[in-house]
Amino acid sequence: MRRNYSITLLSVGHGCVDVYQGAVASLVPFFVAERAYSYAAVSGIVLAASVLSSVAQPFFGMLTDRRAMPWLLPVSTLVGGAGIALGGVSDSYAVTLVVVAVSGIGVAAYHPESARVARLASSGSHSAMGWFSLGGSLGFALAPVMVAVVVAVQGLRWTPLLVLPAVVGAALCLPVLRALETRLSDAAKAPVTGKDDRASFVRLSLAVVCRSIAFIGLSTFVSLYATERMNGGYAAGTAALFLLYLGGAVGSVLGGALANRWDRVRVSRWSYVLTAGSTAGLVFVPGPALYLFVILTSAGLYIPFSLQVTLGQDYLPSRIGTASGITLGLTVSIGGLTSPAIGTLADRTSLQTALAPLILMPILAWLLFQTLPEPTVPVSDDTAPKGEDADVEHSPVQPGLR
């Protein structure tokens, strides 16, 4: 199976999983309207999806460092979808928390192994990994539309229909896993070369935490904020959330393209500087310009996203699964831990006041990136020969390849 075809299927499958991360925030306005949940209560639902995911992803990463577990991709996709599908079935707040948390575990199990498989299938190409990240971003972007179509008319009792993307995603990853079966097994047994740079990895992880706090804070409340600022209904809020995720899709592809011209650390630094300004515009500039700043902020937060994943893998070449689990999972999910604080502050003051501290997050990420080196590694990018044989020759299982 050719590299581009494999990455395409993996990207679509990635979108089918990440649609469930986006669905949590997309369901927030419906929980508020239909069940009269407070801001703090809906923040707790976001927290339920984040906590178990944040704890579980490094665990799954360590497991995949020890042995290949490609079967996790279809199974975890179905678990992630089932949790969200059951989210509107019961009126019980406790049951809703549990099933959404189960969805978070499914998402947690998916990402470390999928990043390893995508790294192998892509031959370590920045652009290919950017397309893989794009799939996840599009999943986020489609979540509010999907939820609105399913839930807006008939209410939360229709959420079981939301399991359909999981079924599609699980089916799409199967041909890729069959094609890569031998190489995945060989990769797990391959000797590790290269030296870990744990200090840089820790600083990188802190930067990803800052990015996560900003993005999850916005994804949780931007729909309600746009509805409030624009004096609109569901349409105003859904449009803002859709643009937030759509901007992420643009940023994912742009990040890979820019990294082919400049190094990953430099691209990430400039992205965070620009994002600080656009976040301030989102919070304080009145009128329809809000939507422009939503797109700019999202793109700015997503330009470094896939770059940070590959940087983490290059900083920890002996623990690629663990590095993927932390950069894709733990540090990202930690942002969800701050959502209740934002919600509580919004209940006591206003949403604008509660969102204002998010402006500091890209600034802190920029400061941390000032201390990071670009790993010196052999280049295996788009200059590599195409086709299955070329993928084997330039396989990224040798640490350092990106």
Side-chain angles (χ1 to χ4, degrees):
M1 182 177 292
R2 291 185 176 273
R3 182 179 72 180
N4 290 345
Y5 184 61
S6 297
I7 287 296
T8 299
L9 293 182
L10 288 171
S11 297
V12 176
H14 191 191
C16 290
V17 172
D18 278 4
V19 74
Y20 296 112
Q21 292 197 83
V24 177
S26 303
L27 287 168
V28 163
F30 298 99
F31 286 132
V32 172
E34 192 169 323
R35 298 181 180 175
Y37 289 165
S38 67
Y39 289 148
V42 292
S43 298
I45 294 175
V46 176
L47 180 64
S50 300
V51 168
L52 284 180
S53 181
S54 66
V55 172
Q57 289 209 38
F59 171 74
F60 283 110
M62 288 185 287
L63 287 179
T64 59
D65 279 332
R66 295 183 178 183
R67 60 178 299 176
M69 303 175 71
W71 55 268
L72 273 178
L73 270 66
V75 171
S76 61
T77 300
L78 292 173
V79 171
I84 294 299
L86 295 173
V89 172
S90 174
D91 290 333
S92 167
Y93 183 73
V95 171
T96 301
L97 285 176
V98 169
V99 295
V100 170
V102 168
S103 176
I105 293 177
V107 172
Y110 175 85
H111 281 101
E113 183 68 353
S114 68
R116 189 174 72 91
V117 173
R119 183 180 174 95
L120 181 64
S122 69
S123 297
S125 164
H126 286 327
S127 297
M129 288 299 290
W131 286 105
F132 176 70
S133 296
L134 170 65
S137 301
L138 289 177
F140 268 109
L142 292 174
V145 178
M146 179 187 73
V147 169
V149 169
V150 173
V151 180
V153 177
Q154 298 293 335
L156 290 169
R157 63 191 178 90
W158 279 69
T159 57
L161 289 178
L162 298 178
V163 77
L164 293 178
V167 176
V168 173
L172 287 177
C173 71
L174 295 178
V176 179
L177 297 181
R178 283 196 294 266
L180 297 176
E181 183 177 1
T182 301
R183 291 171 57 195
L184 287 168
S185 179
D186 292 344
K189 300 174 184 177
V192 175
T193 60
K195 184 178 181 181
D196 291 344
D197 184 353
R198 296 186 180 182
S200 293
F201 182 78
V202 169
R203 294 195 295 272
L204 172 70
S205 298
L206 291 174
V208 180
V209 168
C210 294
R211 176 209 170 274
S212 170
I213 291 172
F215 182 77
I216 294 185
L218 289 174
S219 66
T220 303
F221 294 106
V222 74
S223 178
L224 296 171
Y225 188 58
T227 301
E228 176 184 292
R229 291 285 299 276
M230 302 301 295
N231 295 316
Y234 286 135
T238 299
L241 195 58
F242 174 75
L243 291 175
L244 182 76
Y245 296 151
L246 182 63
V250 174
S252 295
V253 175
L254 187 59
L258 293 174
N260 286 333
R261 184 170 183 179
W262 296 285
D263 65 67
R264 294 166 289 180
V265 171
R266 183 184 304 179
V267 170
S268 298
R269 285 173 185 164
W270 279 107
S271 178
Y272 281 126
V273 168
L274 297 176
T275 303
S278 63
T279 305
L282 188 161
V283 174
F284 293 114
V285 174
L290 165 72
Y291 294 111
L292 173 62
F293 286 113
V294 167
I295 294 176
L296 292 176
T297 299
S298 178
L301 289 172
Y302 262 91
I303 284 174
F305 186 70
S306 64
L307 308 183
Q308 290 169 159
V309 175
T310 58
L311 278 170
Q313 292 172 337
D314 287 343
Y315 287 144
L316 290 184
S318 69
R319 296 288 185 269
I320 288 178
T322 302
S324 301
I326 292 175
T327 54
L328 278 170
L330 178 60
T331 49
V332 173
S333 300
I334 282 176
L337 301 179
T338 64
S339 292
I342 296 173
T344 300
L345 181 60
D347 284 332
R348 295 179 178 178
T349 57
S350 68
L351 265 177
Q352 185 177 63
T353 300
L355 294 177
L358 298 182
I359 300 169
L360 296 175
M361 295 300 104
I363 297 174
L364 293 175
W366 172 76
L367 290 173
L368 287 162
F369 261 89
Q370 292 294 103
T371 69
L372 291 179
E374 176 71 23
T376 303
V377 293
V379 175
S380 178
D381 210 325
D382 293 331
T383 57
K386 308 299 181 186
E388 184 174 352
D389 292 338
D391 286 348
V392 173
E393 180 182 354
H394 293 270
S395 172
V397 298
Q398 296 298 325
L401 290 181
R402 50 191 171 93

